[in-house]
Amino acid sequence: SLSLQLMTTAFKLDENNIPSLTLKPSIDTRDGDGLIYSRVGISRKCLMVDSDTDLYGLVEKLMREDGTFFKCGFVDECQFLTEKQVEQLSDVVDKLGVSVSC
C-alpha cells in the first residue's frame, strides 16, 4: 500500500536522523486521530490537518519554532486535500526547499 511505502521511507529517514514531517487530512479518521496505520500492522504518528489549514504556513511555523529544517514532508491520503493546499505544498517545495511526497 502507499501508506506502507510512505511510512517505510519516513522510518528510514528517522534511522538516519533526517528530520521529516508526516501529515494527514483530518477527514480521514479510519486509523484514529494523529495516526497512520498500514494493513501489515505498522503505524506512525502524524499531524492532522483540516481543509482550511494553510500547509505552507504550518510547515514554515514548525521549522521556525523549533529550528528544525525538514528534509522531507509526507502526506497520507492526499486525495482529501483541497486544491489550495496542493498549491501550498508546491510552495513548501519551492520556497522552503522541503521535498514532499503524497
Side-chain angles (χ1 to χ4, degrees):
S1 79
L2 295 176
S3 294
L4 178 59
Q5 290 176 349
L6 177 150
M7 286 187 284
T8 302
T9 303
F11 284 129
K12 287 179 184 177
L13 292 174
D14 290 347
E15 288 177 349
N16 290 300
N17 295 316
I18 299 171
S20 66
L21 178 63
T22 306
L23 307 172
K24 182 174 92 166
S26 61
I27 194 170
D28 180 9
T29 59
R30 293 173 300 161
D31 304 327
D33 195 29
L35 190 66
I36 299 171
Y37 182 78
S38 169
R39 289 184 207 116
V40 299
I42 297 173
S43 63
R44 180 172 182 82
K45 290 183 180 183
C46 64
L47 291 176
M48 304 296 284
V49 295
D50 296 320
S51 61
D52 61 349
T53 300
D54 175 353
L55 298 182
Y56 176 83
L58 173 66
V59 174
E60 191 271 335
K61 178 183 175 188
L62 291 170
M63 290 172 60
R64 183 175 18 90
E65 284 181 351
D66 63 2
T68 300
F69 176 77
F70 298 110
K71 180 74 174 160
C72 296
F74 300 99
V75 182
D76 193 43
E77 303 298 340
C78 62
Q79 71 271 19
F80 295 117
L81 296 177
T82 66
E83 183 177 334
K84 186 173 183 177
Q85 287 175 315
V86 172
E87 291 172 8
Q88 292 164 354
L89 288 176
S90 176
D91 288 341
V92 168
V93 173
D94 295 340
K95 296 178 181 178
L96 298 176
V98 178
S99 296
V100 175
S101 296
C102 298

